[in-house]
Amino acid sequence: METQPDFAWGVGLQLGYTFGRQRIYPGIMYNRTFNDRWGVESIFPANLRVRYNVSEKTLLYTGYRIEGASYNLYADEPPLSQFNDIELRRTDIKALLRLEQEIYDFLWFAVEGGFRQYYRHRAFDVVGSRDELITNTLAGAGYIGIELYAVPPRKLLERSQNR
């Protein structure tokens, strides 16, 4: 991995559910700030965002994110009760537009919206199986999310940079 104030890259592995099943996935991190306004933040292939710094306290992003998960379901009603464990796996691809705004030194607000395409939603008769029990084709949909989150205060960051 190589880092500079405006550039960082690295190659690694991640254990996760990005594509619906628990596996080890490769990751290529590429973060670069090109000038005072533009930058890229990515861990390919899971996500890529282009950043536009409207000001020091307002950031605008656009890009995509791949999300996945696995859920263990227990059915006690027929016809699914014949299976011990049912696993539902999902993979979504999100195209996004995100605005982040500083409210106070350590408090930020974000609003994100875009389009979510349901790539794969399948149920399997046994956890870890490749035998599909239920398949479906879900249409994509728009989404919006609002967040409030805390970050390290600027004074703390400035102190650590001056050491």
Side-chain angles (χ1 to χ4, degrees):
M1 184 166 142
E2 178 184 328
T3 61
Q4 298 170 0
D6 295 334
F7 177 61
W9 71 273
V11 177
L13 300 172
Q14 169 199 346
L15 177 64
Y17 293 90
T18 302
F19 296 101
R21 282 184 79 188
Q22 184 179 31
R23 290 209 173 137
I24 295 176
Y25 299 103
I28 301 169
M29 183 192 74
Y30 178 82
N31 292 346
R32 180 169 222 148
T33 299
F34 297 105
N35 55 42
D36 290 343
R37 296 281 184 207
W38 293 97
V40 171
E41 300 175 8
S42 70
I43 301 177
F44 187 80
N47 66 62
L48 172 88
R49 298 189 313 180
V50 175
R51 182 187 71 245
Y52 178 72
N53 300 346
V54 178
S55 71
E56 187 176 290
K57 298 179 179 189
T58 305
L59 307 173
L60 186 61
Y61 295 91
T62 187
Y64 77 89
R65 180 172 53 238
I66 299 173
E67 295 180 346
S70 173
Y71 307 93
N72 293 343
L73 308 174
Y74 302 98
D76 57 1
E77 297 291 327
L80 297 178
S81 60
Q82 65 183 314
F83 304 102
N84 292 333
D85 294 331
I86 300 170
E87 182 182 23
L88 173 67
R89 295 183 208 139
R90 72 166 180 85
T91 302
D92 306 334
I93 302 170
K94 289 181 174 179
L96 63 93
L97 183 62
R98 179 181 178 93
L99 175 73
E100 296 182 358
Q101 175 69 50
E102 180 182 300
I103 297 173
Y104 186 70
D105 182 41
F106 63 91
L107 196 59
W108 283 71
F109 167 81
V111 61
E112 179 178 303
F115 186 79
R116 169 185 286 165
Q117 179 60 51
Y118 299 101
Y119 173 68
R120 183 175 291 153
H121 279 64
R122 306 282 192 264
F124 297 85
D125 59 355
V126 177
V127 174
S129 172
R130 292 182 184 261
D131 298 326
E132 294 181 6
L133 182 61
I134 300 171
T135 62
N136 60 56
T137 54
L138 299 171
Y143 75 94
I144 189 164
I146 297 172
E147 301 173 22
L148 185 64
Y149 59 96
V151 299
R154 288 188 193 275
K155 291 179 182 179
L156 182 63
L157 293 174
E158 288 169 0
R159 264 191 246 145
S160 68
Q161 290 175 350
N162 291 333
R163 288 185 181 179

